[in-house]
Amino acid sequence: MRRFVLGWKQAGHEARLKARIVNYADDFVICCRGTALQAMTVMRDMMRKLKLTVNEDKTQVRQLPGETFDFLGYTFGLHRSNRTGRRLPCGKPSGKRVARVCQKISAMTSRRTVQLSAAEMVAELNPVLRGWAGYFCMGTISDTYRAVNSHVRYRFRKWWQAKHKGARLDPRWHWSRWLEQRFGLLELKWDPNRLPHAKA
């Protein structure tokens, strides 16, 4: 992959097509303006010469701001900021990544884990939430954090009721802040410094 990125610049494709490559490991996006088809043709030709395989399922042309594309777990495009109400060109956690962390939380809070104490369960959940928020802390994240918090609250309630044989719970169990204060269960919060704000 490094040979491809270096070759792209050295052959003058970046300057000629005004097409810049952004990559991480073997995933990459070519950002350009009005030259997408030419850039794709050149990319395929270079990959063939370097004997590298192009993932056709992931290779596509997207026009912003009308369309979006996924890269490294983020969906890039125009997204509405809850803080300002304006639609901004930026990234937000992709739906697949949100679904994936929610599935993991569901598995961790299944009936098979009711033998754990509340402290032990929180000790397992918090690192997952903290690590996920540590990566997904850029772009428009408020809605995503609310969705993940909602799922965590729901699953923690279900787990607690399974552990305590269907115990009735008061309305405070629907508040992430109360769960954080009572059990130490992490609540994901937007931070103005664009970093996840959380209590240990």
Short mmCIF file of all heavy atoms in Angstrom, two decimals, residues 131-164:
data_model
loop_
_atom_site.label_atom_id
_atom_site.label_comp_id
_atom_site.label_asym_id
_atom_site.label_seq_id
_atom_site.Cartn_x
_atom_site.Cartn_y
_atom_site.Cartn_z
N GLY A 131 -13.54 2.89 25.57
CA GLY A 131 -12.73 2.69 24.37
C GLY A 131 -13.47 3.08 23.11
O GLY A 131 -12.89 3.70 22.20
N TRP A 132 -14.76 2.74 23.05
CA TRP A 132 -15.56 3.10 21.87
C TRP A 132 -15.66 4.61 21.73
O TRP A 132 -15.47 5.17 20.64
CB TRP A 132 -16.95 2.48 21.99
CG TRP A 132 -17.75 2.52 20.72
CD1 TRP A 132 -17.73 1.61 19.71
CD2 TRP A 132 -18.70 3.51 20.34
NE1 TRP A 132 -18.60 1.98 18.70
CE2 TRP A 132 -19.21 3.15 19.07
CE3 TRP A 132 -19.16 4.68 20.95
CZ2 TRP A 132 -20.15 3.92 18.40
CZ3 TRP A 132 -20.11 5.46 20.28
CH2 TRP A 132 -20.59 5.06 19.02
N ALA A 133 -15.96 5.30 22.83
CA ALA A 133 -16.08 6.76 22.79
C ALA A 133 -14.72 7.43 22.57
O ALA A 133 -14.65 8.52 22.01
CB ALA A 133 -16.70 7.26 24.09
N GLY A 134 -13.65 6.76 22.99
CA GLY A 134 -12.32 7.32 22.75
C GLY A 134 -12.00 7.39 21.27
O GLY A 134 -11.28 8.28 20.83
N TYR A 135 -12.53 6.44 20.50
CA TYR A 135 -12.32 6.48 19.05
C TYR A 135 -13.38 7.34 18.38
O TYR A 135 -13.06 8.17 17.52
CB TYR A 135 -12.37 5.06 18.49
CG TYR A 135 -12.12 5.00 17.00
CD1 TYR A 135 -10.83 5.08 16.49
CD2 TYR A 135 -13.18 4.90 16.10
CE1 TYR A 135 -10.59 5.05 15.13
CE2 TYR A 135 -12.96 4.87 14.73
CZ TYR A 135 -11.66 4.94 14.25
OH TYR A 135 -11.44 4.92 12.89
N PHE A 136 -14.63 7.17 18.75
CA PHE A 136 -15.72 7.92 18.13
C PHE A 136 -16.02 9.17 18.94
O PHE A 136 -17.01 9.25 19.67
CB PHE A 136 -16.97 7.04 18.00
CG PHE A 136 -16.80 5.92 17.02
CD1 PHE A 136 -16.65 4.62 17.46
CD2 PHE A 136 -16.75 6.18 15.65
CE1 PHE A 136 -16.47 3.58 16.55
CE2 PHE A 136 -16.58 5.15 14.74
CZ PHE A 136 -16.44 3.85 15.18
N CYS A 137 -15.12 10.14 18.85
CA CYS A 137 -15.26 11.38 19.61
C CYS A 137 -15.21 12.60 18.70
O CYS A 137 -15.12 13.73 19.18
CB CYS A 137 -14.17 11.48 20.68
SG CYS A 137 -12.48 11.48 20.01
N MET A 138 -15.29 12.39 17.39
CA MET A 138 -15.19 13.50 16.44
C MET A 138 -16.49 13.62 15.65
O MET A 138 -17.23 12.66 15.49
CB MET A 138 -14.02 13.26 15.48
CG MET A 138 -12.70 12.99 16.16
SD MET A 138 -12.11 14.37 17.17
CE MET A 138 -11.67 15.54 15.88
N GLY A 139 -16.72 14.83 15.13
CA GLY A 139 -17.89 15.06 14.29
C GLY A 139 -19.15 15.25 15.11
O GLY A 139 -19.11 15.64 16.28
N THR A 140 -20.30 14.97 14.50
CA THR A 140 -21.58 15.13 15.18
C THR A 140 -21.91 13.83 15.91
O THR A 140 -22.34 12.86 15.31
CB THR A 140 -22.69 15.46 14.17
OG1 THR A 140 -22.71 14.46 13.14
CG2 THR A 140 -22.45 16.81 13.52
N ILE A 141 -21.69 13.84 17.21
CA ILE A 141 -21.76 12.60 17.98
C ILE A 141 -22.87 12.61 19.02
O ILE A 141 -23.14 11.57 19.63
CB ILE A 141 -20.42 12.32 18.70
CG1 ILE A 141 -20.01 13.52 19.54
CG2 ILE A 141 -19.34 11.96 17.69
CD1 ILE A 141 -18.75 13.30 20.35
N SER A 142 -23.53 13.74 19.25
CA SER A 142 -24.51 13.83 20.33
C SER A 142 -25.63 12.80 20.17
O SER A 142 -25.98 12.09 21.12
CB SER A 142 -25.10 15.24 20.41
OG SER A 142 -24.11 16.18 20.72
N ASP A 143 -26.22 12.72 18.98
CA ASP A 143 -27.30 11.76 18.74
C ASP A 143 -26.81 10.33 18.93
O ASP A 143 -27.53 9.48 19.48
CB ASP A 143 -27.87 11.93 17.33
CG ASP A 143 -28.75 13.16 17.21
OD1 ASP A 143 -29.13 13.72 18.25
OD2 ASP A 143 -29.07 13.56 16.07
N THR A 144 -25.62 10.06 18.45
CA THR A 144 -25.06 8.71 18.58
C THR A 144 -24.85 8.34 20.04
O THR A 144 -25.18 7.23 20.47
CB THR A 144 -23.74 8.61 17.81
OG1 THR A 144 -23.97 8.90 16.44
CG2 THR A 144 -23.14 7.22 17.95
N TYR A 145 -24.28 9.26 20.81
CA TYR A 145 -24.06 8.99 22.22
C TYR A 145 -25.38 8.74 22.94
O TYR A 145 -25.48 7.86 23.80
CB TYR A 145 -23.33 10.16 22.88
CG TYR A 145 -21.83 10.17 22.67
CD1 TYR A 145 -21.22 9.32 21.75
CD2 TYR A 145 -21.01 11.02 23.39
CE1 TYR A 145 -19.85 9.32 21.55
CE2 TYR A 145 -19.64 11.04 23.21
CZ TYR A 145 -19.06 10.19 22.29
OH TYR A 145 -17.71 10.19 22.11
N ARG A 146 -26.42 9.52 22.59
CA ARG A 146 -27.72 9.31 23.21
C ARG A 146 -28.26 7.92 22.89
O ARG A 146 -28.85 7.26 23.75
CB ARG A 146 -28.71 10.39 22.76
CG ARG A 146 -28.62 11.67 23.57
CD ARG A 146 -29.84 12.54 23.34
NE ARG A 146 -29.84 13.11 22.01
CZ ARG A 146 -29.28 14.27 21.70
NH1 ARG A 146 -28.67 14.97 22.63
NH2 ARG A 146 -29.33 14.73 20.47
N ALA A 147 -28.09 7.49 21.64
CA ALA A 147 -28.58 6.17 21.24
C ALA A 147 -27.85 5.07 21.99
O ALA A 147 -28.47 4.10 22.47
CB ALA A 147 -28.41 5.98 19.73
N VAL A 148 -26.53 5.18 22.12
CA VAL A 148 -25.75 4.17 22.83
C VAL A 148 -26.11 4.18 24.32
O VAL A 148 -26.30 3.13 24.94
CB VAL A 148 -24.24 4.39 22.62
CG1 VAL A 148 -23.43 3.42 23.50
CG2 VAL A 148 -23.87 4.20 21.15
N ASN A 149 -26.21 5.38 24.91
CA ASN A 149 -26.61 5.48 26.31
C ASN A 149 -27.97 4.83 26.56
O ASN A 149 -28.17 4.15 27.57
CB ASN A 149 -26.65 6.94 26.76
CG ASN A 149 -25.26 7.54 26.95
OD1 ASN A 149 -24.30 6.83 27.23
ND2 ASN A 149 -25.16 8.85 26.80
N SER A 150 -28.90 5.07 25.65
CA SER A 150 -30.24 4.50 25.79
C SER A 150 -30.19 2.97 25.78
O SER A 150 -30.85 2.30 26.58
CB SER A 150 -31.14 5.00 24.66
OG SER A 150 -32.42 4.41 24.74
N HIS A 151 -29.37 2.43 24.88
CA HIS A 151 -29.25 0.97 24.80
C HIS A 151 -28.59 0.42 26.05
O HIS A 151 -29.01 -0.63 26.57
CB HIS A 151 -28.45 0.58 23.56
CG HIS A 151 -28.40 -0.90 23.34
ND1 HIS A 151 -29.47 -1.61 22.85
CD2 HIS A 151 -27.42 -1.81 23.57
CE1 HIS A 151 -29.15 -2.89 22.77
NE2 HIS A 151 -27.92 -3.04 23.19
N VAL A 152 -27.57 1.10 26.55
CA VAL A 152 -26.89 0.64 27.77
C VAL A 152 -27.87 0.65 28.95
O VAL A 152 -27.91 -0.30 29.73
CB VAL A 152 -25.66 1.53 28.06
CG1 VAL A 152 -25.07 1.21 29.44
CG2 VAL A 152 -24.60 1.34 26.98
N ARG A 153 -28.64 1.72 29.08
CA ARG A 153 -29.63 1.78 30.17
C ARG A 153 -30.61 0.62 30.08
O ARG A 153 -30.91 -0.04 31.08
CB ARG A 153 -30.41 3.10 30.11
CG ARG A 153 -29.62 4.34 30.45
CD ARG A 153 -30.55 5.52 30.71
NE ARG A 153 -31.49 5.77 29.62
CZ ARG A 153 -31.26 6.60 28.60
NH1 ARG A 153 -30.10 7.23 28.53
NH2 ARG A 153 -32.17 6.79 27.67
N TYR A 154 -31.13 0.40 28.87
CA TYR A 154 -32.11 -0.67 28.67
C TYR A 154 -31.53 -2.03 29.02
O TYR A 154 -32.14 -2.82 29.76
CB TYR A 154 -32.59 -0.65 27.22
CG TYR A 154 -33.47 -1.82 26.86
CD1 TYR A 154 -34.78 -1.91 27.31
CD2 TYR A 154 -32.97 -2.86 26.06
CE1 TYR A 154 -35.57 -3.01 26.99
CE2 TYR A 154 -33.75 -3.95 25.74
CZ TYR A 154 -35.06 -4.02 26.19
OH TYR A 154 -35.84 -5.10 25.88
N ARG A 155 -30.34 -2.32 28.53
CA ARG A 155 -29.75 -3.63 28.76
C ARG A 155 -29.35 -3.81 30.23
O ARG A 155 -29.48 -4.91 30.78
CB ARG A 155 -28.52 -3.81 27.86
CG ARG A 155 -28.84 -3.96 26.38
CD ARG A 155 -29.77 -5.13 26.13
NE ARG A 155 -29.27 -6.36 26.76
CZ ARG A 155 -29.95 -7.50 26.79
NH1 ARG A 155 -31.16 -7.56 26.25
NH2 ARG A 155 -29.44 -8.57 27.35
N PHE A 156 -28.87 -2.75 30.86
CA PHE A 156 -28.51 -2.86 32.28
C PHE A 156 -29.75 -3.10 33.13
O PHE A 156 -29.72 -3.88 34.09
CB PHE A 156 -27.78 -1.59 32.74
CG PHE A 156 -27.12 -1.73 34.07
CD1 PHE A 156 -25.99 -2.52 34.23
CD2 PHE A 156 -27.62 -1.07 35.19
CE1 PHE A 156 -25.36 -2.65 35.46
CE2 PHE A 156 -27.01 -1.19 36.43
CZ PHE A 156 -25.88 -1.99 36.57
N ARG A 157 -30.88 -2.44 32.79
CA ARG A 157 -32.15 -2.70 33.50
C ARG A 157 -32.58 -4.14 33.34
O ARG A 157 -32.97 -4.81 34.30
CB ARG A 157 -33.26 -1.78 32.98
CG ARG A 157 -33.15 -0.34 33.37
CD ARG A 157 -34.47 0.40 33.19
NE ARG A 157 -35.06 0.23 31.86
CZ ARG A 157 -34.82 1.03 30.83
NH1 ARG A 157 -33.96 2.05 30.97
NH2 ARG A 157 -35.41 0.83 29.67
N LYS A 158 -32.54 -4.63 32.08
CA LYS A 158 -32.96 -6.02 31.82
C LYS A 158 -32.06 -7.00 32.58
O LYS A 158 -32.53 -8.01 33.11
CB LYS A 158 -32.92 -6.30 30.32
CG LYS A 158 -33.86 -5.46 29.48
CD LYS A 158 -35.31 -5.83 29.73
CE LYS A 158 -35.67 -7.13 29.06
NZ LYS A 158 -37.12 -7.44 29.18
N TRP A 159 -30.78 -6.72 32.58
CA TRP A 159 -29.84 -7.59 33.29
C TRP A 159 -30.14 -7.59 34.79
O TRP A 159 -30.18 -8.65 35.42
CB TRP A 159 -28.41 -7.10 33.03
CG TRP A 159 -27.37 -7.83 33.83
CD1 TRP A 159 -26.79 -9.02 33.52
CD2 TRP A 159 -26.80 -7.42 35.08
NE1 TRP A 159 -25.89 -9.38 34.50
CE2 TRP A 159 -25.88 -8.41 35.47
CE3 TRP A 159 -26.98 -6.30 35.90
CZ2 TRP A 159 -25.15 -8.33 36.65
CZ3 TRP A 159 -26.26 -6.21 37.09
CH2 TRP A 159 -25.35 -7.22 37.45
N TRP A 160 -30.39 -6.42 35.36
CA TRP A 160 -30.68 -6.30 36.78
C TRP A 160 -31.97 -7.05 37.14
O TRP A 160 -32.04 -7.75 38.15
CB TRP A 160 -30.79 -4.84 37.17
CG TRP A 160 -31.09 -4.59 38.62
CD1 TRP A 160 -32.32 -4.51 39.22
CD2 TRP A 160 -30.13 -4.41 39.67
NE1 TRP A 160 -32.20 -4.27 40.55
CE2 TRP A 160 -30.86 -4.21 40.87
CE3 TRP A 160 -28.73 -4.39 39.72
CZ2 TRP A 160 -30.24 -3.99 42.10
CZ3 TRP A 160 -28.12 -4.17 40.93
CH2 TRP A 160 -28.86 -3.98 42.10
N GLN A 161 -32.98 -6.91 36.30
CA GLN A 161 -34.25 -7.58 36.57
C GLN A 161 -34.12 -9.10 36.45
O GLN A 161 -34.73 -9.85 37.21
CB GLN A 161 -35.33 -7.07 35.62
CG GLN A 161 -35.77 -5.64 35.94
CD GLN A 161 -36.82 -5.14 34.99
OE1 GLN A 161 -36.68 -5.23 33.78
NE2 GLN A 161 -37.90 -4.60 35.54
N ALA A 162 -33.30 -9.57 35.50
CA ALA A 162 -33.06 -11.00 35.39
C ALA A 162 -32.30 -11.51 36.61
O ALA A 162 -32.56 -12.61 37.12
CB ALA A 162 -32.27 -11.30 34.11
N LYS A 163 -31.40 -10.70 37.09
CA LYS A 163 -30.59 -11.09 38.26
C LYS A 163 -31.45 -11.11 39.52
O LYS A 163 -31.26 -11.96 40.39
CB LYS A 163 -29.43 -10.09 38.44
CG LYS A 163 -28.50 -10.40 39.60
CD LYS A 163 -27.35 -9.39 39.64
CE LYS A 163 -26.41 -9.67 40.80
NZ LYS A 163 -25.72 -10.97 40.66
N HIS A 164 -32.41 -10.19 39.62
CA HIS A 164 -33.23 -10.06 40.81
C HIS A 164 -34.67 -10.50 40.56
O HIS A 164 -35.60 -9.97 41.17
CB HIS A 164 -33.18 -8.62 41.33
CG HIS A 164 -31.82 -8.20 41.80
ND1 HIS A 164 -31.34 -8.54 43.04
CD2 HIS A 164 -30.83 -7.52 41.17
CE1 HIS A 164 -30.11 -8.05 43.17
NE2 HIS A 164 -29.77 -7.44 42.05
#
